[in-house]
Amino acid sequence: MRICMVGSGYVGLVSGASFADFGHNVICVDKDELKVARLRAGEIPIYEPGLDTLVEENVASGRLTFSTEIAAAVSKSDVVFVAVGTPSRRGDGHADLSYVYAASREIAAAISGFTVVVTKSTVPVGTGDEVERIIRETNPDADFAVVSNPEFLREGAAIDDFRRPDRIVIGTEDERAREVMSQVYRPLSLNQAPLVFTSRRASELIKYAANGFLAMKVAFINEIADLCEQVGANVQDVARGIGFDKRIGPKFLNAGPGYGGSCFPKDTLALAKTAQDAGTPVRLIETTVAINDQRKRAMARKVVAACGGDIRGKTIAVLGIAFKPNTDDIREAPALSIVQALQDNGARVRIYDPEGMKHAASVLDDVAFTQSPYECAEGAEALVIVTEWNMFRALDFERLRGIMAAPVLVDLRNIYRREEVARHGFAYSCVGRPDEEIQTEKQQRQSAA
Ligand SMILES: NC(=O)c1ccc[n+]([C@@H]2O[C@H](COP(=O)([O-])OP(=O)(O)OC[C@H]3O[C@@H](n4cnc5c(N)ncnc54)[C@H](O)[C@@H]3O)[C@@H](O)[C@H]2O)c1
């Protein structure tokens, strides 16, 4: 298959390189000239484990190329994927479809021979109809089908997710398009990944329903964590206890500072807006959005409490700015709101993140970026873990105690046990695990007696 990928960001680049790896011929197009120049020079503009090797190998094989010329790429392709951004529209939270529609117009003008146009971007239900209308209006003679094929990969594990998806959803009622899409994904369906064929509208909704459900799961366990703190139970025990139930499942039950990233926040909002417009509000999702929004600043209050109720003039060290480990993506990262709230409370903030700082520099003011967790912690009254990078899982607490102004750890990802931190003289706060505190106090009382 000859494939054109329009948009070479996280999704476009990973999908394009992976399709090339399956044996297809792929041209990744982007209108960002600098991005394309870097890709052509062998540089990967984003941080995604394994992507550099995958790109390098497939460029060397001649199956993967990069271009800014959308028309030339489309005209020689059987399948054109649209993988451009669909951010929240400023003001009302609907998905901003201007990039999708602009790309559709450009694609339409260049279609030659039967071409399958596939929206891989996350788009609200009904967008495929509008893309089809735009293409027909721009190029009435074009022979084409518009298909929905939402992407479910996770940043940080994107290549593996793409190669071993739980399912591949393809929304089309066009027989020719169905055949083409089966060929595109043939290497994966041979490996037993289920191809779920649906109507285009159902496919578009599947993506939002999936992200909405997962976001709801995160918001749910976070509320249970708050309850645990009040009633003296450990949220990790509760999560384990419910997660073994196959109807619930263990994933997305880690209590923490709330979800962030380039998908959940905007997709939950867009789903809520779509449902309101349809006259059938999804109140569970509306509530999920509200819970998550409030949670981020609530985490800053936890830091204030850990520092004795006042952080004015104090230095706070924040570990992790990316919205999750193994990515440099900071879009809607909880850390951004937490840092802002700490500053609003008068703190000076120092930050360390192995990959996220280059982007953070353009959105955060008055913070000090540092080169290691230890440089970050120097002189700090509290160390706050916001993103659970592996390198933060084995910190040298003896060293930290020597360089910090006060031995206080706020672990918003629950990656430590209280007793191992307390052993080094640290005061420890976490999320939804007050019973450990009770245990430790009990042990202290027993050993004192
Ligand atoms: N990032 C994820 O983890 C993820 C996962 C699943 C689905 N998605 C969805 O995939 C879509 C893309 O997300 P992303 O994170 O890859 O976005 P991104 O911002 O990283 O990349 C989008 C790219 O499209 C390019 N672009 C925009 N208009 C263009 C045009 N007319 N022609 C050529 N290039 C154009 C931009 O320059 C940019 O490089 C979104 O709808 C998102 O919701 C993202």
Side-chain angles (χ1 to χ4, degrees):
M1 284 279 154
R2 293 166 307 171
I3 294 176
C4 169
M5 187 65 64
V6 179
S8 305
Y10 284 89
V11 167
L13 194 52
V14 170
S15 313
S18 301
F19 281 138
D21 207 47
F22 296 168
H24 300 305
N25 281 306
V26 181
I27 308 177
C28 281
V29 177
D30 206 288
K31 64 174 186 189
D32 180 339
E33 288 178 8
L34 184 63
K35 195 176 265 189
V36 172
R38 289 179 67 187
L39 285 163
R40 282 181 160 166
E43 263 180 69
I44 305 296
I46 53 171
Y47 176 77
E48 180 61 45
L51 188 57
D52 46 358
T53 316
L54 188 71
V55 168
E56 191 185 321
E57 284 172 3
N58 285 284
V59 166
S61 75
R63 287 193 302 269
L64 179 62
T65 52
F66 303 102
S67 174
T68 51
E69 305 290 324
I70 186 166
V74 168
S75 65
K76 52 180 165 228
S77 295
D78 308 301
V79 190
V80 180
F81 282 89
V82 178
V84 301
T86 47
S88 277
R89 194 162 67 189
R90 210 179 280 251
D92 65 5
H94 276 282
D96 176 355
L97 295 172
S98 55
Y99 302 101
V100 172
Y101 294 154
S104 304
R105 271 183 212 100
E106 291 177 73
I107 292 164
I111 283 178
S112 125
F114 178 63
T115 306
V116 180
V117 179
V118 188
T119 43
K120 200 163 239 332
S121 299
T122 302
V123 293
V125 58
T127 303
D129 301 357
E130 182 60 12
V131 169
E132 188 172 315
R133 195 195 62 72
I134 288 171
I135 297 177
R136 208 173 296 290
E137 180 185 88
T138 313
N139 183 353
D141 297 329
D143 184 14
F144 69 101
V146 174
V147 171
S148 161
N149 170 222
E151 182 50 57
F152 297 95
L153 63 77
R154 296 162 301 167
E155 286 175 21
I159 295 168
D160 209 44
D161 282 351
F162 197 88
R163 285 181 182 165
R164 273 179 279 275
D166 290 339
R167 78 307 204 184
I168 297 152
V169 175
I170 297 170
T172 182
E173 278 130 42
D174 183 296
E175 266 314 308
R176 287 190 297 173
R178 186 184 165 117
E179 182 50 34
V180 168
M181 293 305 286
S182 301
Q183 287 301 321
V184 167
Y185 281 108
R186 203 172 123 75
L188 288 186
S189 52
L190 287 176
N191 290 338
Q192 307 294 314
L195 289 186
V196 179
F197 284 98
T198 68
S199 71
R200 198 162 61 199
R201 283 182 169 245
S203 169
E204 289 167 338
L205 202 49
I206 284 168
K207 174 67 189 177
Y208 281 99
N211 275 0
F213 190 85
L214 293 173
M216 199 168 66
K217 231 176 149 183
V218 174
F220 173 80
I221 202 65
N222 284 338
E223 288 214 306
I224 295 294
D226 290 348
L227 178 59
C228 284
E229 288 180 8
Q230 295 309 313
V231 300
N234 184 325
V235 71
Q236 287 177 319
D237 292 344
V238 176
R240 214 168 109 80
I242 62 174
F244 278 123
D245 186 328
K246 291 195 182 61
R247 295 167 300 177
I248 296 172
K251 301 206 172 136
F252 284 77
L253 288 180
N254 293 318
Y259 59 77
S262 65
C263 291
F264 282 9
K266 78 173 175 62
D267 293 349
T268 44
L269 256 186
L271 175 58
K273 294 292 170 188
T274 299
Q276 282 164 11
D277 283 357
T280 53
V282 281
R283 287 188 295 271
L284 286 170
I285 301 302
E286 289 173 7
T287 305
T288 296
V289 171
I291 292 168
N292 200 65
D293 280 351
Q294 289 155 17
R295 183 149 195 93
K296 299 175 189 173
R297 284 185 83 85
M299 292 300 108
R301 290 200 290 278
K302 219 180 233 304
V303 178
V304 174
C307 292
D310 185 15
I311 55 171
R312 186 155 301 280
K314 292 182 177 169
T315 298
I316 307 292
V318 171
L319 294 186
I321 198 82
F323 84 95
K324 65 175 179 180
N326 296 326
T327 182
D328 59 354
D329 200 340
I330 61 158
R331 289 178 277 185
E332 304 288 330
L336 299 179
S337 307
I338 294 170
V339 167
Q340 183 63 63
L342 294 173
Q343 290 177 324
D344 292 347
N345 279 281
R348 282 190 297 269
V349 178
R350 295 164 70 79
I351 291 176
Y352 174 71
D353 185 290
E355 295 294 337
M357 293 193 296
K358 56 183 180 294
H359 296 310
S362 58
V363 294
L364 288 175
D365 291 326
D366 299 327
V367 297
F369 292 104
T370 59
Q371 294 310 308
S372 77
Y374 302 99
E375 189 193 333
C376 185
E378 259 170 37
E381 307 265 350
L383 185 64
V384 186
I385 298 174
V386 186
T387 314
E388 68 279 32
W389 285 93
N390 270 343
M391 69 180 313
F392 301 154
R393 288 178 187 271
L395 293 171
D396 179 344
F397 285 101
E398 284 303 315
R399 184 172 167 196
L400 284 171
R401 203 181 48 187
I403 55 179
M404 288 178 66
V408 174
L409 178 68
V410 182
D411 175 7
L412 298 179
R413 297 289 180 173
N414 287 345
I415 59 176
Y416 284 100
R417 294 190 60 76
R418 185 182 304 275
E419 62 225 33
E420 65 179 310
V421 178
R423 211 183 307 135
H424 299 285
F426 270 76
Y428 180 72
S429 307
C430 55
V431 178
R433 295 188 299 165
D435 61 332
E436 272 196 10
E437 196 165 356
I438 294 161
Q439 287 296 334
T440 315
E441 277 169 17
K442 227 190 259 169
Q443 280 159 7
Q444 278 167 356
R445 272 203 307 276
Q446 276 162 4
S447 56

